[in-house]
Amino acid sequence: GEDVEQSLFLSVREGDSSVINCTYTDSSSTYLYWYKQEPGAGLQLLTYIFSNMDMKQDQRLTVLLNKKDKHLSLRIADTQTGDSAIYFCAESSTGGGNKLTFGTGTQLKVEL
Amino acid sequence: EAGVTQSPTHLIKTRGQQATLRCSPISGHTSVYWYQQALGLGLQFLLWYDEGEERNRGNFPPRFSGRQFPNYSSELNVNALELEDSALYLCASTLKGGSNQPQHFGDGTRLSIL
């Protein structure tokens, strides 16, 4: 079955880069997503990558995908206090009826 | 353009009661997904509706049910509420079901069972 894992916490200083990692098990994953959740809010779609790509850049965000190792990462350049939130990795597969399988979420804390 | 809207924001019920949660998708989106975010259990897929039909269901008991209306809005009904149903219920929508379109989420309904 599908399984998605993330580390629980990450603490960085303002201005540094943050790298949030994710591993997944489903080799039939077609799309991989990163969502951001702020306290009391829903999920904000940050970016996503198709499984035949290995990198995608969108302003301060860079997604790297290593399909062989089933490893996905999200790099946030010049991290700001407003980036403090929980970040979820999610995957969807053609056999999953388009449902998303989420990781546990990584709580990012940005310190001054 | 309005995003996914959910109502109510908060809902307080007691054990054994029934709860109804509502979701309006982004204009033009025809697929609606429901997820449960319970403390300690993470985000779990509940139901997927597309073109008025239930297309996929997560590992939840039958007392979790729903429907999708002709205008593509959706309701999630939870019968015989139990304490462990306390959670944030999130709704998401996509342009077209089953095509790996990215899912856009609402802010959720927080259901508390006393």
Side-chain angles (χ1 to χ4, degrees):
Chain A
E2 312 100 353
D3 192 24
V4 181
E5 293 190 359
Q6 300 177 240
S7 53
L8 291 179
F9 298 103
L10 177 65
S11 180
V12 299
R13 288 190 178 174
E14 189 177 41
D16 287 351
S17 291
S18 308
V19 179
I20 303 171
N21 294 302
C22 169
T23 57
Y24 60 98
T25 58
D26 189 351
S27 57
S28 67
S29 293
T30 51
Y31 280 91
L32 295 129
Y33 301 86
W34 285 102
Y35 285 90
K36 175 184 179 183
Q37 187 176 37
E38 298 185 67
L43 300 178
Q44 175 193 351
L45 176 65
L46 289 177
T47 186
Y48 60 100
I49 188 167
F50 187 49
S51 59
N52 69 352
M53 297 170 63
D54 51 18
M55 187 182 102
K56 182 178 180 181
Q57 187 153 4
D58 184 1
Q59 299 182 331
R60 292 191 298 125
L61 305 178
T62 303
V63 178
L64 294 177
L65 174 61
N66 181 327
K67 193 171 181 182
K68 174 177 167 287
D69 293 338
K70 299 190 182 69
H71 181 268
L72 182 74
S73 67
L74 174 70
R75 179 177 179 270
I76 306 172
D78 187 25
T79 313
Q80 302 298 307
T81 54
D83 295 324
S84 292
I86 300 176
Y87 290 79
F88 290 93
C89 165
E91 64 91 21
S92 67
S93 61
T94 51
N98 208 32
K99 68 172 186 178
L100 293 178
T101 301
F102 286 89
T104 50
T106 299
Q107 172 124 36
L108 174 64
K109 183 179 177 183
V110 182
E111 299 174 325
L112 295 171
Chain B
E1 181 186 83
V4 176
T5 57
Q6 293 187 243
S7 63
T9 306
H10 294 97
L11 191 55
I12 300 174
K13 295 284 185 178
T14 57
R15 285 178 61 191
Q17 284 189 314
Q18 186 252 356
T20 297
L21 288 63
R22 295 179 177 85
C23 172
S24 291
I26 291 171
S27 177
H29 286 193
T30 62
S31 267
V32 170
Y33 305 78
W34 288 94
Y35 293 85
Q36 182 198 63
Q37 187 177 26
L39 204 61
L41 293 177
L43 278 151
Q44 297 185 79
F45 167 73
L46 255 171
L47 289 160
W48 168 30
Y49 291 95
D50 183 57
E51 298 286 348
E53 300 284 330
E54 182 182 303
R55 301 295 185 183
N56 197 9
R57 183 181 182 85
N59 189 23
F60 282 84
R63 56 191 186 81
F64 287 83
S65 65
R67 53 181 172 165
Q68 187 178 32
F69 300 99
N71 66 355
Y72 304 112
S73 67
S74 177
E75 263 182 13
L76 174 69
N77 295 293
V78 189
N79 294 319
L81 286 164
E82 300 178 3
L83 292 176
E84 54 263 33
D85 297 334
S86 292
L88 180 67
Y89 289 84
L90 292 164
C91 172
S93 72
T94 64
L95 267 172
K96 183 182 170 184
S99 58
N100 275 310
Q101 293 286 325
Q103 295 181 23
H104 298 269
F105 284 80
D107 283 336
T109 293
R110 185 160 297 281
L111 176 61
S112 299
I113 312 302
L114 304 178

